[in-house]
Amino acid sequence: MTDSSSGQIDHVLIEDRLFPPPAEFSQQAVFSSQAQYESMYRRAAEQPEEFWRSEALEHLHWFEPFDEVCRWDPPHAEWFVHGKTNASYNCLDRHIDAGRGDRTAIIWEGEPGDERTLSYAELRSEVSKCAAGLKQLGISAGDVVSIYMPMTPELAIAMLACARIGAVHSVIFAGFSAESIADRNNDAGAKLVITADGLYRRGKVLPLKETVDEALAKSPTVEHCLVLRRVGNDDVSMTQPRDVWWHDVVDTQSDDFPAVPMDSEASLFILYTSGSTGKPKGIRHTTAGYNLWAKRTFEWVFDHREDDIFWCTADCGWITGHSYIVYGPLSAGATCLMYEGAPNFPAEDRFWELVEKYKVTILYTAPTAIRAFIKWGDEHVDKHDLSSLRLLGSVGEGINPEAWMWYHKKIGNERCPIVDTWWQTETGGIMMSPLPGITATKPGSCTRPLPGVVPVIVDETGNAVDDQHGGMLCISKPWPGMLRGIWGDEDRFVQQYWSTVPGKYLTGDNARKDSDGYYWIMGRIDDVINVSGHRLSTIEVESALCSHEAVCEAAVVGRPDELKGQAIAAFVTIRDREPDEALRQELLLHVRKQIGALAQPDDLRFTSTLPKTRSGKIMRRLLRDIASGNEVAGDTSTLEDLTVLAKLRDDEG
Ligand code: WTA
């Protein structure tokens, strides 16, 4: 333990299991030796210009060459200056030009079980038609288009059609309220909204168009609304001449709309993400750098091969869907599975049914889903043949070691490497991750940075902390996929990401580097608790709780305490046991044994669910309010239902 007045964070949980990559995996992998990674990492760090020049020339199509690799005027970076490319060209035409147009791009399954397959050539035809339709609706390069759609191929088609003509898409997750859509339309000055007549969710139809109508009443910049018929809902109201049907405006167009050469730094998209306070911010990504980053990180981390069927279970409403359903895999010429619906419809085995049916080889999902599967029970997994899988990925939150172990054993059958990928909406693509052919993994660690990523962990004064100590994770060098700004709010961009440690990008996460050079994300900076002068990371206490067999999920927060500064409050969901006082004591003792008396929660409450953001992250901020507001109820055996509270917080991203 260290002197915590230094601003470092104490690291208390020991995890020493190590899983080397299986030999048969390594033999055929993209990265097959540690030396190969080391030398690539060194080149990217020491000669970034040369490294990224050759990457960009090899991996993107250039209508006009760039004349400078990176212009870095902190905090502003421009990549591949003055070059002209097009992300839709890189995702589609490039493969067709190379004679690979017949390859399957997207295999799609709707929630009701309907299926569609699109080859690269077919996808380009659809994208071209949509691009021409957008043009007809008066959209041109630089205009913002909001997309509020179900996870249908048309969602990806709409994104790529925007890219094809240089319009800037702003995808809004189709669970957001009318208020949130209007806020985003107004902040971005959107000219068009693309939506559908409805969305299937657990067998029911959600009236998307109705929600959009409500938003449009408060979105003065929007001129048109393009509506896809997805559910056959004839009740939708179409306001003339504002609203038009996809089948009238898109399906009737010619299918050879050429991609428009776009400046490397032209905005490709905005994606709104909630900040720790206040209104959501529109993270702005640009064309060439983002596209290259999405493609290369996809190929490196997922060890992409010709015969892979890649399934990223995210929604395109989040950055994970942007980078690893659309831009990354399609630029790489991969075959992706895209699924529209819920993981537990019609039953809790839907994901495993899909893996078996489509022989998915790579599965990329989130800890929140993994913890739900654990709770639903192994029998749903056992019904299916998952032998096609060769690689598993995780993203979105820290994965507690026990959830990692379940994923490894139950889904990966102890033969599939797990890539725990750390990154953010702002970073555009994966920043730290195991490389599955070479990295020995440790449950709960995102291991090491990818080539081009130079992390540093600092204390509150901006000085680098020693290995083994936690501090604020920063990135010290620009990388191609980095955000270029917050839409319309330069001050917030500078203030939020670049002021704490001048010249370095502040991620907002805490992390620690161990003696092997592996990184461990310790949660958001706000999630550190200070107990009797010891600064602890809540995720370590949560992981200790999760290592008890009865615990499914745990969220730990601090609440003010006169004696200790902060006291530890834990919220726990359980399985296969009665939530009684005996179990409560058992769990407290368990943490004490795992970490020490210091980390033993002062309050421990059982709950049936934890409040989560719409992208599935536990909302510790809300739990902090609960923990400090009301005193712990005397009767600890009742399960609280915190979903109600989550529902109240509609706008969390
Ligand atoms: C968290 C998602 C630990 C982290 C791509 C980050 C993670 C935030 C991991 C970004 C991981 C994401 N381990 N924490 N593997 N992946 N996070 O913008 O706090 O939705 O800053 O991007 O999620 O979330 P976002």
Side-chain angles (χ1 to χ4, degrees):
M1 294 258 163
T2 52
D3 168 15
S4 40
S5 60
S6 65
Q8 299 183 343
I9 302 163
D10 297 331
H11 146 60
V12 285
L13 192 72
I14 306 297
E15 173 58 67
D16 49 17
R17 286 170 286 196
L18 190 70
F19 296 86
E24 63 278 19
F25 192 104
S26 306
Q27 277 153 15
Q28 304 180 44
V30 172
F31 280 94
S32 53
S33 78
Q34 193 62 31
Q36 186 190 354
Y37 160 78
E38 302 285 353
S39 107
M40 195 156 168
Y41 188 86
R42 217 174 313 113
R43 266 197 303 130
E46 290 165 10
Q47 298 152 323
E49 298 266 324
E50 200 185 302
F51 179 83
W52 289 113
R53 172 176 292 111
S54 72
E55 286 284 318
L57 291 176
E58 185 181 341
H59 294 282
L60 297 180
H61 165 83
W62 294 96
F63 293 101
E64 284 177 34
F66 50 91
D67 51 28
E68 203 179 327
V69 173
C70 178
R71 196 176 283 169
W72 176 225
D73 179 13
H76 301 284
E78 288 173 69
W79 283 87
F80 313 115
V81 184
H82 297 142
K84 288 207 188 323
T85 182
N86 182 295
S88 140
Y89 193 98
N90 291 319
C91 289
L92 304 168
D93 304 61
R94 232 178 154 234
H95 311 305
I96 298 165
D97 296 349
R100 297 153 50 88
D102 291 339
R103 235 181 107 72
T104 302
I106 297 177
I107 304 170
W108 174 81
E109 184 164 309
E111 191 182 82
D114 39 345
E115 296 167 29
R116 254 172 92 185
T117 300
L118 289 152
S119 68
Y120 275 90
E122 287 163 341
L123 185 59
R124 181 175 67 176
S125 298
E126 298 305 316
V127 169
S128 292
K129 287 190 218 166
C130 184
L134 296 182
K135 276 282 177 197
Q136 188 181 314
L137 293 172
I139 301 300
S140 45
D143 288 338
V144 176
V145 175
S146 294
I147 301 179
Y148 184 75
M149 294 180 82
M151 276 287 286
T152 51
E154 284 79 4
L155 170 47
I157 289 166
M159 291 166 74
L160 290 166
C162 287
R164 201 157 184 88
I165 64 170
V168 182
H169 59 71
S170 162
V171 183
I172 304 169
F173 174 63
F176 278 115
S177 65
E179 201 62 41
S180 311
I181 304 169
D183 284 349
R184 286 156 173 75
N185 285 341
N186 292 329
D187 187 75
K191 265 179 89 172
L192 172 72
V193 175
I194 310 182
T195 188
D197 61 344
L199 172 144
Y200 292 113
R201 200 66 185 172
R202 294 195 181 85
K204 295 207 183 68
V205 168
L206 305 185
L208 286 194
K209 174 65 165 61
E210 225 172 80
T211 310
V212 168
D213 284 339
E214 213 182 309
L216 290 185
K218 297 179 217 156
S219 310
T221 59
V222 175
E223 294 167 9
H224 285 290
C225 179
L226 176 61
V227 188
L228 174 78
R229 180 170 284 157
R230 165 63 186 130
V231 299
N233 179 356
D234 292 328
D235 295 340
V236 297
S237 78
M238 297 290 281
T239 306
Q240 305 295 341
R242 187 193 68 191
D243 300 348
V244 292
W245 285 106
W246 181 288
H247 50 260
D248 291 334
V249 174
V250 173
D251 291 349
T252 51
Q253 305 284 343
S254 118
D255 63 1
D256 61 354
F257 194 98
V260 177
M262 295 304 298
D263 191 273
S264 292
E265 282 298 326
S267 298
L268 178 63
F269 66 86
I270 321 171
L271 185 57
Y272 284 87
T273 168
S274 65
S276 48
T277 54
K279 75 177 189 28
K281 35 186 201 242
I283 303 300
R284 188 171 73 88
H285 282 288
T286 57
T287 302
Y290 168 82
N291 196 165
L292 182 63
W293 192 246
K295 177 176 196 275
R296 297 302 282 148
T297 53
F298 171 78
E299 290 168 335
W300 293 337
V301 172
F302 297 108
D303 187 55
H304 178 243
R305 283 195 229 146
E306 271 299 304
D307 54 355
D308 276 321
I309 307 287
F310 177 77
W311 183 22
C312 165
T313 69
D315 189 286
C316 284
W318 313 118
I319 190 68
T320 307
H322 282 59
S323 303
Y324 301 109
I325 294 177
V326 181
Y327 292 108
L330 295 180
S331 297
T335 298
C336 298
L337 174 64
M338 184 175 181
Y339 168 59
E340 180 185 40
N344 54 353
F345 186 83
E348 281 79 1
D349 67 338
R350 185 66 185 268
F351 270 24
W352 316 122
E353 187 186 287
L354 287 163
V355 168
E356 179 173 9
K357 177 169 170 188
Y358 295 106
K359 302 206 165 28
V360 171
T361 59
I362 307 173
L363 176 70
Y364 190 33
T365 194
T368 181
I370 296 167
R371 293 184 307 244
F373 300 138
I374 297 175
K375 189 165 189 175
W376 292 339
D378 290 0
E379 64 273 22
H380 302 292
V381 182
D382 294 338
K383 274 194 235 160
H384 296 280
D385 173 7
L386 306 183
S387 60
S388 57
L389 288 170
R390 67 178 191 96
L391 176 60
L392 304 174
S394 171
V395 60
E397 283 180 291
I399 176 166
N400 308 110
E402 291 322 309
W404 194 104
M405 289 304 298
W406 183 89
Y407 200 26
H408 169 70
K409 286 191 181 143
K410 204 67 216 166
I411 307 303
N413 199 14
E414 301 186 31
R415 38 173 200 88
C416 305
I418 295 180
V419 289
D420 175 1
T421 64
W422 174 84
W423 59 295
Q424 309 177 294
T425 303
E426 292 86 341
T427 68
I430 297 167
M431 300 291 275
M432 295 204 233
S433 169
L435 293 168
I438 57 171
T439 313
T441 49
K442 302 183 188 183
S445 167
C446 59
T447 74
R448 302 182 63 184
L450 295 181
V453 176
V454 185
V456 57
I457 299 173
V458 302
D459 63 19
E460 279 147 359
T461 58
N463 293 315
V465 303
D466 301 334
D467 285 1
Q468 289 297 3
H469 299 304
M472 296 187 287
L473 175 63
C474 294
I475 310 292
S476 18
K477 295 273 166 55
W479 67 101
M482 68 197 284
L483 80 164
R484 299 299 196 271
I486 295 178
W487 191 263
D489 201 344
E490 174 67 14
D491 288 349
R492 194 171 174 194
F493 169 65
V494 175
Q495 207 274 328
Q496 175 134 18
Y497 301 109
W498 303 96
S499 310
T500 312
V501 190
K504 292 187 178 19
Y505 168 76
L506 181 78
T507 65
D509 285 344
N510 285 315
R512 157 180 84 87
K513 187 160 106 169
D514 71 15
S515 50
D516 294 328
Y518 280 30
Y519 288 80
W520 299 74
I521 303 296
M522 302 171 91
R524 303 293 297 166
I525 289 174
D526 295 344
D527 291 336
V528 172
I529 42 182
N530 194 323
V531 185
S532 308
H534 294 287
R535 300 182 77 230
L536 302 177
S537 132
T538 50
I539 189 158
E540 295 197 329
V541 185
E542 288 163 7
S543 291
L545 281 163
C546 288
S547 68
H548 188 284
E549 73 222 355
V551 174
C552 216
E553 287 192 293
V556 165
V557 297
R559 66 160 172 81
D561 182 89
E562 272 180 25
L563 226 55
K564 305 197 231 179
Q566 279 186 304
I568 302 177
F571 296 80
V572 172
T573 68
I574 50 170
R575 56 183 166 132
D576 305 335
R577 280 279 292 266
E578 278 306 307
D580 54 16
E581 186 55 28
L583 179 60
R584 207 173 78 91
Q585 291 304 331
E586 203 178 308
L587 293 180
L588 296 177
L589 194 66
H590 182 74
V591 177
R592 210 186 167 95
K593 274 201 211 127
Q594 294 279 308
I595 306 184
L598 162 80
Q600 177 179 313
D602 300 272
D603 315 337
L604 189 150
R605 306 187 196 189
F606 296 112
T607 164
S608 52
T609 45
L610 291 169
K612 305 234 174 111
T613 64
R614 276 155 195 277
S615 62
K617 296 190 210 298
I618 296 172
M619 288 163 70
R620 292 182 187 74
R621 187 153 40 105
L622 183 53
L623 294 172
R624 271 200 297 273
D625 295 346
I626 299 170
S628 40
N630 26 346
E631 281 312 303
V632 189
D635 180 13
T636 47
S637 62
T638 47
L639 289 167
E640 292 181 62
D641 183 6
L642 299 173
T643 38
V644 186
L645 290 157
K647 282 184 193 121
L648 293 175
R649 293 290 183 100
D650 185 56
D651 286 348
E652 295 291 328

XYZ file of all heavy atoms in Angstrom, residues 271-274 283 318-321 324 364 367 394-399 419-430 432-433 444-446 473 505 507-510 520-525 527 539 613 615 617 620 653, ligand 1:
449
model
N -21.320 11.254 -32.932
C -22.022 10.287 -32.092
C -22.141 10.888 -30.699
O -21.132 11.251 -30.092
C -21.261 8.958 -32.073
C -21.952 7.827 -31.330
C -23.337 7.538 -31.887
C -21.111 6.561 -31.390
N -23.363 11.007 -30.241
C -23.591 11.634 -28.933
C -23.333 10.645 -27.817
O -23.750 9.491 -27.871
C -25.019 12.188 -28.845
C -25.126 13.476 -29.629
C -25.410 13.462 -30.991
C -24.854 14.696 -29.026
C -25.450 14.629 -31.729
C -24.886 15.878 -29.755
C -25.180 15.836 -31.102
O -25.198 16.999 -31.822
N -22.619 11.117 -26.817
C -22.358 10.273 -25.655
C -22.550 11.139 -24.421
O -22.298 12.343 -24.469
C -20.939 9.663 -25.722
O -20.629 9.089 -24.464
C -19.881 10.687 -26.048
N -23.029 10.521 -23.347
C -23.305 11.354 -22.181
C -22.015 11.636 -21.440
O -21.150 10.776 -21.310
C -24.298 10.667 -21.259
O -23.717 9.512 -20.751
N -19.566 13.659 -30.197
C -18.165 13.354 -30.508
C -18.009 13.316 -32.027
O -18.758 12.627 -32.720
C -17.764 11.991 -29.895
C -17.992 11.983 -28.372
C -16.322 11.634 -30.253
C -17.224 13.017 -27.599
N -24.315 2.701 -30.928
C -23.139 2.948 -30.095
C -21.890 2.901 -30.964
O -21.901 2.352 -32.061
C -23.019 1.904 -28.974
C -24.301 1.670 -28.258
C -24.996 0.495 -28.187
C -25.073 2.629 -27.517
N -26.145 0.675 -27.457
C -26.211 1.970 -27.036
C -24.904 3.987 -27.212
C -27.183 2.616 -26.266
C -25.874 4.627 -26.455
C -26.988 3.948 -25.984
N -20.803 3.402 -30.425
C -19.552 3.432 -31.193
C -19.113 2.008 -31.577
O -18.557 1.790 -32.648
C -18.417 4.161 -30.414
C -17.197 4.414 -31.319
C -18.013 3.392 -29.174
C -17.387 5.403 -32.427
N -19.374 1.046 -30.718
C -18.955 -0.328 -31.022
C -19.599 -0.798 -32.321
O -18.959 -1.441 -33.152
C -19.305 -1.270 -29.852
O -18.747 -0.707 -28.664
C -18.748 -2.656 -30.059
N -20.857 -0.444 -32.520
C -21.529 -0.799 -33.765
C -20.951 -0.041 -34.951
O -20.805 -0.601 -36.041
N -17.227 -1.691 -35.315
C -17.041 -3.129 -35.473
C -18.265 -3.877 -36.012
O -18.294 -5.104 -35.985
C -16.486 -3.730 -34.173
C -15.150 -3.062 -33.849
C -15.019 -2.170 -32.791
C -14.042 -3.248 -34.691
C -13.823 -1.499 -32.558
C -12.855 -2.584 -34.466
C -12.740 -1.713 -33.397
O -11.562 -1.052 -33.184
N -18.191 -10.919 -30.321
C -17.744 -9.715 -29.600
C -18.953 -9.163 -28.858
O -19.917 -8.724 -29.480
C -17.233 -8.712 -30.641
C -16.512 -7.484 -30.117
C -15.738 -7.512 -28.959
C -16.560 -6.282 -30.833
C -15.049 -6.391 -28.526
C -15.871 -5.150 -30.407
C -15.124 -5.211 -29.249
O -14.434 -4.090 -28.828
N -19.743 -7.160 -21.131
C -19.870 -7.793 -19.810
C -21.306 -7.824 -19.291
O -21.713 -8.801 -18.670
C -18.987 -6.912 -18.914
C -17.957 -6.367 -19.828
C -18.663 -6.155 -21.146
N -14.695 -8.817 -25.553
C -15.510 -8.111 -24.570
C -15.223 -6.620 -24.666
O -14.093 -6.211 -24.918
C -15.162 -8.635 -23.168
O -15.769 -7.841 -22.173
N -16.244 -5.810 -24.462
C -16.092 -4.357 -24.536
C -17.191 -3.649 -23.756
O -18.282 -4.172 -23.615
C -16.166 -3.857 -25.997
C -17.479 -4.190 -26.666
C -15.935 -2.341 -26.085
N -16.886 -2.484 -23.269
C -17.924 -1.607 -22.724
C -17.751 -1.294 -21.258
O -18.054 -0.206 -20.802
N -17.280 -2.259 -20.518
C -17.037 -2.095 -19.089
C -15.904 -3.046 -18.752
O -15.574 -3.922 -19.545
C -18.235 -2.611 -18.292
C -19.435 -1.743 -18.234
C -20.482 -2.455 -17.384
O -21.016 -3.482 -17.825
O -20.732 -1.998 -16.271
N -15.401 -2.898 -17.549
C -14.447 -3.886 -17.092
C -15.174 -5.212 -16.966
O -16.348 -5.240 -16.616
N -14.483 -6.288 -17.303
C -15.106 -7.598 -17.108
C -14.528 -8.184 -15.826
O -13.323 -8.330 -15.694
C -14.938 -8.504 -18.350
C -15.505 -9.900 -18.090
C -13.517 -8.582 -18.865
C -15.693 -10.734 -19.360
N -10.351 -11.527 -26.005
C -9.770 -10.192 -26.106
C -10.670 -9.211 -25.342
O -11.800 -8.970 -25.717
C -9.530 -9.753 -27.573
C -8.371 -10.552 -28.165
C -10.752 -9.935 -28.479
N -10.126 -8.718 -24.232
C -10.827 -7.712 -23.429
C -10.349 -6.368 -23.970
O -9.225 -5.960 -23.732
C -10.451 -7.905 -21.960
C -11.034 -6.834 -21.043
O -11.762 -5.936 -21.523
O -10.748 -6.897 -19.825
N -11.208 -5.705 -24.735
C -10.787 -4.523 -25.485
C -11.191 -3.241 -24.765
O -12.361 -3.012 -24.518
C -11.431 -4.529 -26.885
O -12.857 -4.425 -26.754
C -11.107 -5.805 -27.640
N -10.190 -2.435 -24.433
C -10.491 -1.144 -23.799
C -10.436 -0.029 -24.838
O -9.448 0.102 -25.565
C -9.506 -0.821 -22.668
C -9.773 0.568 -22.153
C -10.712 0.922 -21.230
C -9.159 1.792 -22.590
N -10.722 2.290 -21.076
C -9.787 2.849 -21.888
C -8.151 2.086 -23.503
C -9.427 4.184 -22.076
C -7.796 3.426 -23.699
C -8.438 4.457 -22.971
N -11.495 0.758 -24.887
C -11.526 1.946 -25.746
C -12.745 2.771 -25.425
O -13.460 2.463 -24.469
C -11.453 1.553 -27.229
C -12.548 0.650 -27.761
C -12.800 -0.647 -27.387
C -13.518 0.979 -28.761
N -13.854 -1.143 -28.116
C -14.317 -0.162 -28.965
C -13.777 2.120 -29.528
C -15.369 -0.189 -29.878
C -14.815 2.078 -30.443
C -15.595 0.937 -30.608
N -12.993 3.825 -26.183
C -14.069 4.778 -25.888
C -14.655 5.323 -27.180
O -14.000 5.284 -28.225
C -13.503 5.986 -25.124
C -12.670 5.638 -23.921
C -12.091 6.875 -23.263
O -11.270 7.569 -23.832
N -12.542 7.150 -22.046
N -15.843 5.902 -27.085
C -16.432 6.596 -28.234
C -15.387 7.569 -28.809
O -15.212 7.676 -30.024
C -17.677 7.389 -27.786
O -18.595 6.474 -27.177
C -18.357 8.068 -28.966
N -14.700 8.248 -27.929
C -13.734 9.261 -28.327
C -12.524 8.696 -29.058
O -11.909 9.398 -29.865
C -13.217 10.018 -27.082
C -14.244 10.891 -26.389
C -15.096 10.146 -25.354
O -15.158 8.902 -25.409
O -15.701 10.816 -24.504
N -12.158 7.471 -28.763
C -10.921 6.936 -29.354
C -11.171 6.332 -30.737
O -10.220 5.989 -31.433
C -10.245 5.872 -28.456
O -11.080 4.706 -28.403
C -9.979 6.394 -27.062
N -12.422 6.166 -31.127
C -12.768 5.700 -32.465
C -12.615 4.203 -32.659
O -13.319 3.611 -33.467
N -11.700 3.601 -31.970
C -11.482 2.161 -32.098
C -10.705 1.671 -30.888
O -10.339 2.450 -29.994
N -10.424 0.367 -30.891
C -9.769 -0.287 -29.762
C -8.381 0.314 -29.531
O -7.638 0.558 -30.473
C -9.666 -1.798 -30.035
C -11.077 -2.389 -30.147
C -8.858 -2.504 -28.945
C -11.122 -3.799 -30.722
N -6.453 -0.648 -26.305
C -5.660 -1.658 -25.614
C -6.421 -2.962 -25.690
O -7.634 -2.994 -25.496
C -5.486 -1.289 -24.149
C -4.685 -0.028 -23.951
S -3.956 -0.052 -22.319
C -4.502 1.507 -21.725
N -5.685 -4.010 -25.966
C -6.314 -5.324 -26.077
C -5.239 -6.381 -26.220
O -4.170 -6.111 -26.765
C -7.206 -5.365 -27.318
O -7.629 -6.688 -27.588
N -9.554 -9.898 -16.497
C -9.778 -8.560 -15.954
C -8.805 -7.516 -16.470
O -8.969 -6.334 -16.199
N -7.794 -7.936 -17.245
C -6.832 -6.967 -17.784
C -6.995 -6.832 -19.288
O -7.124 -7.832 -19.996
C -5.398 -7.410 -17.477
O -4.484 -6.639 -18.237
N -6.956 -5.590 -19.769
C -7.012 -5.379 -21.226
C -5.599 -5.464 -21.814
O -5.397 -5.126 -22.977
C -7.682 -4.047 -21.547
S -6.846 -2.633 -20.822
N -5.538 7.581 -16.455
C -5.004 7.085 -17.728
C -5.088 8.189 -18.798
O -6.165 8.730 -19.057
C -5.819 5.868 -18.168
C -5.473 5.275 -19.545
C -4.041 4.751 -19.569
C -6.446 4.148 -19.885
N -4.122 13.467 -23.828
C -5.555 13.188 -23.863
C -5.952 12.490 -22.563
O -5.417 11.423 -22.227
C -5.879 12.299 -25.080
C -7.277 11.732 -25.028
C -8.372 12.528 -25.325
C -7.499 10.414 -24.652
C -9.665 12.016 -25.253
C -8.777 9.886 -24.583
C -9.858 10.694 -24.878
O -11.131 10.190 -24.802
N -8.378 10.309 -20.560
C -9.434 9.352 -20.912
C -10.619 9.422 -19.961
O -11.717 9.011 -20.316
C -8.907 7.905 -20.867
O -8.566 7.591 -19.506
C -7.687 7.713 -21.749
N -10.381 9.887 -18.721
C -11.456 9.872 -17.726
C -11.520 8.555 -16.966
O -12.329 8.399 -16.063
N -10.661 7.607 -17.328
C -10.591 6.330 -16.606
C -9.328 6.303 -15.746
O -8.329 6.936 -16.077
C -10.500 5.146 -17.586
C -11.827 4.835 -18.261
O -12.875 5.297 -17.781
O -11.799 4.124 -19.284
N -9.378 5.526 -14.691
C -8.169 5.226 -13.940
C -7.635 3.887 -14.388
O -8.398 3.024 -14.836
C -8.474 5.151 -12.442
C -8.668 6.524 -11.846
O -7.883 7.442 -12.126
N -9.712 6.696 -11.051
N -4.613 -2.467 -16.298
C -5.861 -2.854 -15.632
C -6.689 -1.585 -15.480
O -6.263 -0.649 -14.795
C -5.581 -3.445 -14.244
C -4.743 -4.683 -14.281
C -3.396 -4.759 -14.522
C -5.193 -6.029 -14.091
N -2.983 -6.071 -14.485
C -4.060 -6.875 -14.223
C -6.449 -6.599 -13.815
C -4.158 -8.258 -14.092
C -6.537 -7.983 -13.680
C -5.397 -8.802 -13.820
N -7.824 -1.539 -16.134
C -8.686 -0.371 -16.025
C -9.396 -0.430 -14.666
O -9.939 -1.474 -14.292
C -9.727 -0.347 -17.170
C -9.028 -0.385 -18.539
C -10.656 0.861 -17.045
C -8.162 0.817 -18.868
N -9.348 0.663 -13.937
C -9.918 0.682 -12.582
C -11.203 1.498 -12.508
O -11.588 1.962 -11.447
C -8.878 1.209 -11.597
C -7.594 0.384 -11.604
S -6.273 1.129 -10.639
C -6.554 0.385 -9.030
N -11.847 1.690 -13.626
C -13.124 2.422 -13.613
C -12.930 3.913 -13.873
O -11.818 4.383 -14.104
N -14.041 4.627 -13.861
C -13.996 6.059 -14.119
C -13.320 6.791 -12.966
O -13.343 6.318 -11.820
C -15.423 6.601 -14.305
C -16.227 5.946 -15.399
C -15.707 6.212 -16.777
N -15.752 7.628 -17.142
C -15.106 8.134 -18.201
N -14.364 7.356 -18.964
N -15.199 9.397 -18.477
N -12.742 7.930 -13.281
C -12.068 8.718 -12.247
C -13.012 8.996 -11.078
O -12.625 8.921 -9.915
C -11.526 10.037 -12.860
C -10.336 9.721 -13.767
C -11.139 11.034 -11.780
C -9.793 10.896 -14.557
N -15.193 7.166 -9.904
C -15.567 5.969 -9.157
C -14.555 5.568 -8.089
O -14.690 4.518 -7.469
C -15.775 4.782 -10.115
C -17.006 4.983 -10.976
O -17.898 5.735 -10.556
O -17.056 4.395 -12.076
N -14.068 -1.105 -8.829
C -14.158 -2.354 -9.600
C -13.451 -3.508 -8.898
O -13.855 -4.667 -9.009
C -13.658 -2.195 -11.051
C -14.002 -3.461 -11.848
C -12.197 -1.909 -11.144
C -14.059 -3.321 -13.315
N -27.143 2.232 -17.884
C -27.352 3.150 -19.005
C -27.931 2.325 -20.151
O -27.934 1.093 -20.108
C -26.034 3.755 -19.505
O -25.235 2.702 -20.027
C -25.287 4.459 -18.397
N -26.644 1.750 -22.859
C -25.650 0.882 -23.484
C -25.181 -0.193 -22.506
O -24.222 -0.899 -22.780
C -24.478 1.693 -24.022
O -23.822 2.369 -22.982
N -24.104 0.014 -19.206
C -23.115 0.253 -18.147
C -23.847 0.529 -16.830
O -24.854 1.231 -16.802
C -22.272 1.472 -18.481
C -21.419 1.329 -19.720
C -20.453 2.514 -19.789
C -20.088 2.904 -21.196
N -19.405 1.891 -21.973
N -23.222 4.037 -11.619
C -22.770 4.203 -10.233
C -23.139 5.564 -9.669
O -23.335 5.722 -8.474
C -21.268 3.965 -10.144
C -20.916 2.511 -10.415
C -19.460 2.221 -10.291
N -19.205 0.852 -10.730
C -19.214 0.467 -11.985
N -19.427 1.350 -12.942
N -19.007 -0.782 -12.315
N -26.539 7.938 -21.681
C -26.079 7.302 -22.918
C -25.166 6.162 -22.688
O -24.447 6.022 -21.807
C -15.428 1.718 -20.186
C -17.239 1.850 -25.523
C -12.841 -1.537 -18.763
C -14.393 2.756 -19.813
C -16.248 1.276 -26.533
C -14.429 3.703 -20.986
C -14.046 -0.348 -20.314
C -15.886 3.714 -21.329
C -13.713 -1.286 -21.322
C -16.139 4.082 -22.777
C -12.897 -2.403 -20.950
C -14.937 0.278 -22.190
N -12.486 -2.471 -19.676
N -13.602 -0.483 -19.044
N -12.559 -3.365 -21.820
N -14.289 -0.868 -22.480
N -14.812 0.588 -20.892
O -17.703 5.530 -24.944
O -14.805 3.404 -18.626
O -19.415 3.681 -24.605
O -13.958 4.998 -20.686
O -17.154 3.237 -25.543
O -16.338 2.379 -21.060
O -17.469 3.843 -23.128
P -18.018 4.126 -24.585
